[in-house]
Amino acid sequence: MKLEFILNDKAVSLEVDPMKRLLDILREDFGLTGTKESCGEGECGACTVLLDGKPVTSCLVNAVHAENKQVVTSEGIAQKPLGKLLIACFDETNAVQCGFCFPGFLVSSYYYLKNDGEPNLEKIKTALSGNICRCTGYQKIFDSVMMACHRKQEQEK
Amino acid sequence: MKFYKPKNLTELFQISEKIAGKKYFLAGGTDINVQIKKKMITDEPIIYINHLEELQGIRETDESIIIGSLCSYQELLNSPLIAKYLPFFRASLVNFASPLLQTMATIGGNIANGSPTADVTPLLLVLDAQIILMAKSKMRHIPLRDFFTGYKQFNLKKNEIIGGVQITKNAETGYKTFYKKVGSRKALTIAKVALAGLKNSEEYKLAVGSLNEYPRRLSKIEEYLASTNTPESVKLEELLKQEITPISDMRSDKDYRFQVCLNLLLEFIQI
Amino acid sequence: MKKVRKFDAVPKLNGSYKFLDDYTRPNLLYGGFLYAKFHHGKLKQIKFPKKFSKDEFTIVSYKDILGENIVPEPENDQPFLVEQEVMHYGQIILGIAHPNKKKLKQFIDNIEVEYEEMPAITDIEECLSDENNVFGRVLEIKHPAEIGNTSHLIHTKRIYRTPHQEQAYLETQAMLAEYDKEKKEIFVLGTMQCPFFVKSALDAIFGDTIHNSVVETSEGIGGGFGGKEDFPNIIAGITALLAYKSGRPVKTVLDREDDIQITTKRHPSRVEVESYTDPITHKIRKLNIDYRLDAGAFQTLSPVVLSRGVLHASSGYAVEDCYIKGRLFRSNTPSNGAFRGFGAPQALFAIESHIDNVAAQLGIDPYTLRKKNILKIGKEFPTSQPIIENHLEDCLEKVIEISDYHEKYREYKQWNLEHKVKKGIGLSLGLHGGGYTGNGEKILNSKIKLVIEKNADINIYVANTDMGQGAHTTLAQMVDEAIEHPHNKTRVVIPNTNKAPNSGPTVASRTIYIVGNMLRNLIKEVKKELGFDNLETYVKAHQADFPREFRSLFKPDPQAIFDDETYKGVAYKDYSWAACVVEITYDPTTYEINLEKCWNVLDIGETVNPEIARGQVEGGVVQALGWGLSEFFYKKGFGRKQGFTDYTMLTSRDIPELNIEFIHTDNPIPKGLGEIPMDYPAPALRNAFLNATGVGIDEIPLTPEKIFANLEEK
């Protein structure tokens, strides 16, 4: 099929098997290797991207699902003001370890920060519960997102 | 793998009719893509339906809420209609799968997959939901409890699809509610035991998941509880043995499943 | 002790940092493996699918191996590729490569392997309870003492069991290999912990056919935890063989499912502990420990895991009469290997659980029993290594204080009488010897190199990898701080066996402790030798001398002597110490444990970068609690679970509130850090359950099913 969609705010199109995984399209056809494959069955969140503004595991999304939709990857989020804020917080807390899961965490955190943003630990835990991290024990990830929520609130004052 | 993308429902039925053998409908893709990865689906034709407007959305009639089969969990959670008329249902959905899977996973897909562990089904069963089945020129409503006939077996006619579910607006009203899903962890988990219950002074409604070949109501226990003010646990245990057939698999053990179901039942009675 | 940020955090977040699968090459082939789908048997025939043209594929079997078909390991007993007899499910039979990933997979999936089945041992209990399965060297530590009549002592004998654990690094194992025909050189790029191990594997598999082999790590290494210590040798060897045969670059990236099926795991254990305790003084007078590990089908590095296991088996307790025996058992499952803790978590689970069982039998609280028997100055390990500091006791006292242990211990007792949902509080001690065991570091003889560039930047050349633990940030920080050089100029160059000297593998909590200390000493010597105050000024003034290279060698402590025959002497020069309190609630309706709080006090010596150190502890503790609560494979009667759906690591919603304190950070050197947080939390969790319910379960994970079955028995 001819697939047209908006990728990181840019209109793109390509000829592709409609069942090709969005994950593979991003990595192979657009070289956006920030989106990672880890479990391949939706149970780790390393491949999280935003599809029409909502977080999805791109290993379970097919080309046909993305037709005429907005797709934002970690690379795209890194360019947005709230994305930059989050990256600064993850950096300051020395939260990142191996980093393989972090682009996925960045996307889930961004969705939470943008759509809710309350500095509430239980809510943050729930928002990140589709993303597995094996290195950090999550604590510093919570700290970073909490920090970003507070900063966003201050900025909005 | 042949792929079809019908323009509308009419075309969907045309395509579907032409395919004699096994075929899969692709909605949110959260199950089908796992099955493809595990080589449970290899060459069977795929019909994409996630874009079909006729099967989307949540709307109300005077008496009911109608949920399109393509409605995602995220839509259910964000729907003001669901929040207003079915708050218990909504609250029970919050921890399904994960926030990432909730975006894509659909209510129709959860039912159609036919898994004994399907999260939404026990809830729909106690809410006396009707399932809407659509064919080329016909539509029928049947109680969801009559829809399942065996492991991944349905009361579904040839070329019929799941159009959605219908729940009456007052399905929860005036009832004490109970829902517990027991998994291996708090998120990203598949139910080992699930029990949903409603009760008022006159009746009990109980449904279980992961304990039979398909999620089902516990009618004998419902009747027994309605008939007595002092339920005996020995009797409950005896009836439960008749109603559930838990198995041991890699996720859990049959004895554990049975006991937890009984414990939850006793907890439900006490609320 | 300034706050230094990780140099790689931002590129990892925005996706620009490259992990192995993010690299490509022109003319690339994808590599894959055909592995056995049965436990034990003789290969009879391999039938390739007719619907594919076999010629399109590059295929290597053991016959294509130009050197030796033996993976270099402490015990050289494992082949790269099966010759006749398959010893375990997942053993690799063929390496296969093709330009199309999808086609490669379909081809491999459709290959039929005919075999003659042989009897197999796949059940852990079956393996570990039958002494006929023992293989390899039996280790013994003897610390005999004449304690006289034991009839008045309290006798406690229990068996403790732990399961496999999957490292579950988020980046699966992966290698990219290229062959340069003209130079006769193999180049391997990969995600790994030990580049020189991989190099020795390449040299083994190719023998004299090649002139050189070069191994480099990918920019990012997506977690290791021990899982990328030795298994990369096999993947690299076979992938390189495919590159050699095809003449094209080959990239092999394991699917999660394959990674789980074929790679190494933590050894399951069965540890019998027998003790005799004085009911009046509460001293443990005599201790016998029978420590058993399921090694899998081959020994590989299991003898070293066994060694660390027996050396940690008596934990932080001084016992007059002590005997420890350690043995490896063979099963028809993939060889178990390195995993953070390396035999110590199994050992500590047994002894730390046992202490609580003894306390319960004596009717005293677990703190008192620990306090009475704790290792301190004047006492010694079973190896007769003397104790030189009371830091373990300091950890214990501190954790008791910050967790308000005594008060909660009382309070929960009362609470549990009155409530259905129970509360429990559990205690454990931990210790971990830093670096290789015994004379290991002496034998390793690590080498390091620094280059001071013309612009006064310092480049560090070591073979130690940064797989997320922050080692490269911390190593650079140590060098900078030693000479007050501005942060952000010093870098560890990506490990490459052609550029870096062999500073040893990235294992055994040795990177900062051994290699970091070497770097720090070297740069201090350089400063002294050159006589500078400010490096930048000095380099500017002496431009002609730069770039300049400096090297050094590991200098063993002549006092630290270990006898490998008798297991007597200094097993580890420096121990890290820890004490832990875990609080849980327990719901008897569903038999589920909820993790509430976890308090950790550690002495790891100097904390070079406290935030990085804290992150290591948090991560290790959560891995350990997952091992104790919900992670397992091989439920009897079912195949090894596949994928992350059913290998249930803790999610963000499952973890407890974590509290971490470091003490004795004024120690002049940073000691081992990476492994100790994995060692001690599981028994504290188990002891918290005992405290909550009065039921001591001597086996993990404490799944609701296991709890239910145990309660049913009682």
Side-chain angles (χ1 to χ4, degrees), chain A residues 18-19 39-43 45 48 51 54-57 60-62 64-65 67 108 111 126-127 129-132, chain B residues 1 3 5 26-30 32-34 36-38 46 48 50 74 95 98-101 103-104 185 187-188:
Chain A
M19 289 302 286
C39 77
E41 53 190 50
E43 297 282 328
T48 308
L51 183 68
K54 297 186 187 90
V56 296
T57 51
L60 300 185
V61 173
N62 307 95
V64 63
H65 286 116
E67 200 173 10
S108 289
Y111 177 74
T126 301
S129 62
N131 297 78
I132 295 282
Chain B
M1 195 178 277
F3 181 86
K5 186 180 172 189
L26 174 63
T30 52
I32 284 192
N33 281 297
V34 175
I36 290 171
K37 185 176 158 61
K38 297 200 182 228
I46 303 267
Y48 181 67
N50 210 39
Q74 179 156 108
N95 295 326
S98 85
L100 309 176
L101 297 174
T103 307
M104 295 302 286
R185 50 183 172 184
L188 285 169

Side-chain angles (χ1 to χ4, degrees), chain B residues 1-269:
Chain B
M1 195 178 277
K2 255 194 125 68
F3 181 86
Y4 302 91
K5 186 180 172 189
K7 282 195 198 69
N8 50 40
L9 218 47
T10 317
E11 207 179 294
L12 165 69
F13 288 118
Q14 283 167 2
I15 293 168
S16 180
E17 260 174 33
K18 277 186 205 143
I19 304 169
K22 201 161 185 185
K23 58 197 171 239
Y24 288 89
F25 295 107
L26 174 63
T30 52
D31 271 324
I32 284 192
N33 281 297
V34 175
Q35 290 177 26
I36 290 171
K37 185 176 158 61
K38 297 200 182 228
K39 294 151 205 153
M40 290 151 75
I41 302 175
T42 48
D43 287 328
E44 293 87 348
I46 303 267
I47 307 172
Y48 181 67
I49 56 170
N50 210 39
H51 61 301
L52 295 177
E53 281 173 20
E54 297 100 316
L55 303 176
Q56 290 171 350
I58 302 167
R59 57 181 206 278
E60 63 179 322
T61 63
D62 288 347
E63 273 123 41
S64 300
I65 301 293
I66 295 165
I67 302 167
S69 60
L70 294 174
C71 192
S72 72
Y73 284 100
Q74 179 156 108
E75 283 172 75
L76 287 171
L77 287 166
N78 291 336
S79 156
L81 283 175
I82 301 287
K84 185 174 171 193
Y85 294 107
L86 300 165
F88 157 71
F89 178 58
R90 186 194 172 280
S92 305
L93 302 177
V94 170
N95 295 326
F96 281 9
S98 85
L100 309 176
L101 297 174
Q102 285 173 2
T103 307
M104 295 302 286
T106 63
I107 189 167
N110 202 202
I111 299 169
N113 182 276
S115 166
T117 67
D119 280 332
V120 78
T121 315
L123 287 164
L124 293 174
L125 285 171
V126 293
L127 294 170
D128 287 323
Q130 301 266 314
I131 187 158
I132 304 165
L133 302 172
M134 298 166 93
K136 197 154 77 180
S137 53
K138 273 188 284 208
M139 182 158 87
R140 62 181 178 127
H141 288 57
I142 61 167
L144 183 63
R145 57 191 300 174
D146 298 335
F147 181 63
F148 301 98
T149 57
Y151 178 69
K152 298 206 179 218
Q153 299 293 311
F154 314 107
N155 183 351
L156 200 61
K157 292 182 184 147
K158 212 175 163 201
N159 296 318
E160 218 173 24
I161 61 159
I162 300 173
V165 293
Q166 181 169 337
I167 309 171
T168 55
K169 280 178 178 170
N170 60 8
E172 292 179 9
T173 322
Y175 288 92
K176 283 188 176 168
T177 56
F178 183 92
Y179 178 67
K180 177 84 181 175
K181 169 186 171 182
V182 183
S184 308
R185 50 183 172 184
K186 293 200 186 109
L188 285 169
T189 192
I190 293 167
K192 299 191 286 200
V193 178
L195 182 85
L198 298 181
K199 65 174 182 181
N200 62 18
S201 55
E202 277 151 39
E203 61 173 343
Y204 285 78
K205 297 177 184 184
L206 277 163
V208 291
S210 305
L211 296 168
N212 292 303
E213 289 180 318
Y214 50 89
R216 56 169 283 184
R217 287 278 287 264
L218 304 178
S219 344
K220 286 179 185 160
I221 292 177
E222 289 175 359
E223 277 168 36
Y224 171 65
L225 289 173
S227 71
T228 172
N229 288 324
T230 49
E232 289 168 31
S233 57
V234 180
K235 179 74 181 163
L236 281 170
E237 192 170 339
E238 187 194 307
L239 289 171
L240 195 60
K241 275 184 190 147
Q242 298 170 27
E243 301 231 68
I244 65 172
T245 50
I247 56 161
S248 291
D249 59 13
M250 66 180 181
R251 288 188 189 120
S252 193
D253 302 332
K254 62 179 196 298
D255 294 347
Y256 168 82
R257 286 179 151 136
F258 183 87
Q259 188 63 46
V260 170
C261 183
L262 183 62
N263 292 351
L264 291 174
L265 196 56
L266 295 170
E267 205 170 279
F268 165 68
I269 290 167

Side-chain angles (χ1 to χ4, degrees), chain C residues 538-675:
Chain C
Y538 180 88
V539 173
K540 259 184 205 154
H542 302 79
Q543 278 284 295
D545 297 347
F546 293 90
R548 191 168 160 190
E549 190 180 299
F550 302 89
R551 288 172 179 262
S552 81
L553 266 181
F554 177 71
K555 290 179 198 70
D557 178 353
Q559 308 286 314
I561 295 161
F562 185 74
D563 185 334
D564 191 52
E565 288 306 310
T566 60
Y567 264 61
K568 284 287 172 187
V570 178
Y572 305 96
K573 192 166 165 285
D574 294 288
Y575 277 86
S576 299
W577 310 102
C580 172
V581 167
V582 168
E583 291 181 55
I584 61 156
T585 48
Y586 167 67
D587 184 351
T589 304
T590 56
Y591 311 92
E592 287 173 305
I593 290 173
N594 193 47
L595 300 168
E596 300 290 339
K597 286 180 180 163
C598 179
W599 312 79
N600 304 269
V601 176
L602 298 98
D603 164 24
I604 55 158
E606 177 194 353
T607 49
V608 177
N609 189 316
E611 287 309 309
I612 288 180
R614 188 172 294 274
Q616 282 295 291
V617 177
E618 288 166 351
V621 165
V622 169
Q623 268 179 1
L625 292 173
W627 183 53
L629 194 64
S630 63
E631 295 179 23
F632 66 100
F633 281 116
Y634 288 124
K635 188 173 160 186
K636 196 170 182 174
F638 299 91
R640 184 181 272 201
K641 287 181 180 178
Q642 300 180 352
F644 279 180
T645 308
D646 286 304
Y647 189 76
T648 46
M649 291 172 273
L650 303 183
T651 71
S652 60
R653 295 185 57 228
D654 297 293
I655 65 157
E657 181 188 317
L658 300 171
N659 294 278
I660 292 147
E661 276 197 38
F662 296 109
I663 62 171
H664 295 296
T665 54
D666 56 350
N667 192 69
I669 57 157
K671 301 191 285 186
L673 160 64
E675 290 170 282

Side-chain angles (χ1 to χ4, degrees), chain C residues 105-132:
Chain C
K105 241 178 214 163
Q106 285 170 348
F107 180 69
I108 295 176
D109 286 345
N110 285 294
I111 297 175
E112 282 176 52
V113 177
E114 286 180 10
Y115 62 97
E116 190 188 314
E117 201 167 351
M118 294 162 78
I121 299 160
T122 57
D123 179 59
I124 298 167
E125 189 56 30
E126 195 187 325
C127 165
L128 290 175
S129 56
D130 184 351
E131 304 206 353
N132 288 318

Side-chain angles (χ1 to χ4, degrees), chain C residues 307-552:
Chain C
S307 166
R308 189 174 281 274
V310 295
L311 287 165
H312 288 73
S314 56
S315 185
Y317 307 102
V319 180
E320 281 167 80
D321 184 2
C322 184
Y323 174 73
I324 300 163
K325 179 156 93 172
R327 287 173 293 175
L328 297 177
F329 287 63
R330 185 203 291 269
S331 67
N332 296 100
T333 60
S335 304
N336 293 306
F339 192 158
R340 197 177 202 170
F342 212 70
Q346 295 96 320
L348 290 189
F349 176 74
I351 185 71
E352 289 297 326
S353 300
H354 191 77
I355 293 287
D356 272 49
N357 287 343
V358 174
Q361 211 177 335
L362 292 170
I364 63 171
D365 71 86
Y367 161 79
T368 305
L369 188 61
R370 283 184 171 79
K371 179 86 176 169
K372 290 274 183 199
N373 292 283
I374 204 162
L375 278 176
K376 52 185 170 186
I377 294 170
K379 306 282 182 189
E380 58 184 33
F381 282 108
T383 54
S384 301
Q385 177 176 350
I387 303 300
I388 53 165
E389 57 198 14
N390 289 344
H391 293 187
L392 181 59
E393 193 174 16
D394 296 340
C395 289
L396 173 63
E397 290 304 328
K398 186 77 187 173
V399 85
I400 293 291
E401 178 201 321
I402 63 169
S403 66
D404 201 9
Y405 176 85
H406 295 308
E407 181 55 33
K408 285 175 183 162
Y409 189 82
R410 273 190 294 273
E411 194 187 300
Y412 294 175
K413 249 186 197 162
Q414 191 56 39
W415 168 279
N416 291 338
L417 293 175
E418 296 158 1
H419 295 84
K420 188 175 174 193
V421 172
K422 311 292 179 202
K423 291 186 181 184
I425 187 162
L427 184 60
S428 69
L429 299 181
L431 74 173
H432 201 94
Y436 263 33
T437 301
N439 305 310
E441 290 294 340
K442 216 179 287 178
I443 296 162
L444 261 185
N445 195 21
S446 295
K447 301 160 194 73
I448 56 162
K449 181 174 110 180
L450 289 172
V451 176
I452 301 177
E453 306 290 347
K454 261 189 157 29
N455 60 2
D457 284 2
I458 304 173
N459 282 319
I460 298 169
Y461 291 88
V462 292
N464 303 92
T465 63
D466 193 327
M467 52 192 136
Q469 78 285 40
H472 287 182
T473 300
T474 310
L475 290 174
Q477 184 182 348
M478 286 177 83
V479 168
D480 284 340
E481 286 176 356
I483 55 164
E484 291 168 30
H485 199 50
H487 294 296
N488 77 10
K489 296 210 130 193
T490 302
R491 282 283 177 274
V492 177
V493 176
I494 287 189
N496 174 307
T497 55
N498 243 11
K499 295 175 188 164
N502 189 352
S503 59
T506 318
V507 302
S509 305
R510 65 182 295 280
T511 303
I512 303 306
Y513 169 58
I514 300 283
V515 181
N517 279 313
M518 285 173 70
L519 284 166
R520 179 188 272 175
N521 291 337
L522 174 60
I523 194 72
K524 280 182 181 164
E525 279 163 29
V526 169
K527 182 176 178 179
K528 215 162 150 192
E529 186 191 321
L530 301 181
F532 63 79
D533 261 342
N534 180 305
L535 180 63
E536 234 167 327
T537 325
Y538 180 88
V539 173
K540 259 184 205 154
H542 302 79
Q543 278 284 295
D545 297 347
F546 293 90
R548 191 168 160 190
E549 190 180 299
F550 302 89
R551 288 172 179 262
S552 81

